[in-house]
Amino acid sequence: SAQEILSTLEALKKENPKYLENAKDEESLKDAIKKNLEYEKTRSAREKRRMNILDSISKELKITLPEILLLSEVEKMAYELKSSLKDMGLEWEKYLEHIKKSEEELRTGWRGDAERRVKFGLILREIAMKENLIPQDELLDKKTDEILRGLDEVERKKTSRDSLKEHLFGRLQNEMV
């Protein structure tokens, strides 16, 4: 909406008042903000639809998940949160103090989400296998290179190209599904 565009524009002006030099820049920025907001709304609606479909399928899934899969997913969730906090410059211990929970309490609370994520992963893999959905090597290489170029030199040296490519394979395959 026009109000969303204006409020985003005002926030950008506050962050960096010298950013806009003239009215032409402001109009270009408004157009860019509008396109970005439309893209985000479309992406969000598509993601919500995907989650609803996966939820419906998973409710029909009558399996008992091995404990090791759940523990592995909880561990992955902890790693993702810790990495996200580190990227924002926040310390894990301070975060736990702020939310007034122990790491064990967090992990216990994540079990339901972990079960859901594991089921979703199994559903997506099964559909990918049945439909023979395999990302093309050229696209995998291109996306891998893009990510590696976006990392600083230290991070690039720590990142395994093969592990990154494997991760991207899963993400792209899920997108195809």
Side-chain angles (χ1 to χ4, degrees):
S1 74
Q3 184 56 41
E4 288 175 307
I5 294 169
L6 289 176
S7 63
T8 303
L9 181 62
E10 290 306 314
L12 287 172
K13 283 180 179 179
K14 267 186 184 174
E15 286 177 27
N16 193 349
K18 294 180 182 178
Y19 187 71
L20 298 171
E21 296 294 324
N22 60 48
K24 183 181 177 203
D25 289 344
E26 189 168 315
E27 286 307 311
S28 296
L29 189 55
K30 280 182 186 178
D31 287 342
I33 291 169
K34 180 181 178 186
K35 287 177 184 167
N36 190 49
L37 288 171
E38 288 170 353
Y39 169 79
E40 276 304 310
K41 285 179 183 178
T42 302
R43 188 196 61 74
S44 178
R46 186 175 57 236
E47 190 62 26
K48 184 177 179 180
R49 183 173 179 269
R50 286 178 183 168
M51 290 300 114
N52 288 339
I53 291 169
L54 285 169
D55 255 341
S56 295
I57 294 171
S58 75
K59 286 176 183 164
E60 299 297 318
L61 199 58
K62 306 291 184 225
I63 64 167
T64 303
L65 298 172
E67 185 66 15
I68 190 74
L69 285 179
L70 295 175
L71 290 174
S72 176
E73 193 62 32
V74 167
E75 194 60 39
K76 184 178 174 184
M77 292 166 77
Y79 175 79
E80 288 168 357
L81 179 58
K82 287 176 182 179
S83 293
S84 181
L85 290 170
K86 184 179 176 186
D87 290 345
M88 292 186 286
L90 302 173
E91 294 177 26
W92 177 244
E93 290 76 22
K94 298 255 189 247
Y95 172 77
L96 292 174
E97 284 175 28
H98 178 73
I99 64 168
K100 296 175 179 36
K101 288 189 177 186
S102 70
E103 185 169 343
E104 195 54 42
E105 288 172 312
L106 271 181
R107 288 173 180 268
T108 301
W110 289 341
R111 283 194 60 90
D113 285 340
E115 183 175 334
R116 188 171 171 240
R117 284 172 58 156
V118 169
K119 283 183 177 181
F120 286 6
L122 292 171
I123 292 165
L124 290 167
R125 267 180 285 221
E126 184 66 22
I127 292 170
M129 283 177 27
K130 285 189 186 270
E131 298 295 325
N132 198 30
L133 300 172
I134 301 169
Q136 298 298 313
D137 281 336
E138 299 82 35
L139 180 60
L140 280 169
D141 287 331
K142 179 183 172 199
K143 294 285 185 187
T144 302
D145 290 341
E146 285 173 11
I147 290 173
L148 288 172
R149 276 194 303 272
L151 299 176
D152 64 37
E153 191 173 334
V154 174
E155 286 298 314
R156 196 175 310 121
K157 286 181 180 178
K158 289 194 288 185
T159 303
S160 160
R161 180 178 177 77
D162 290 339
S163 294
L164 179 57
K165 196 171 176 179
E166 185 177 317
H167 171 75
L168 285 172
F169 180 93
R171 271 188 30 202
L172 292 170
Q173 189 174 54
N174 289 347
E175 284 291 316
M176 292 171 78
V177 171

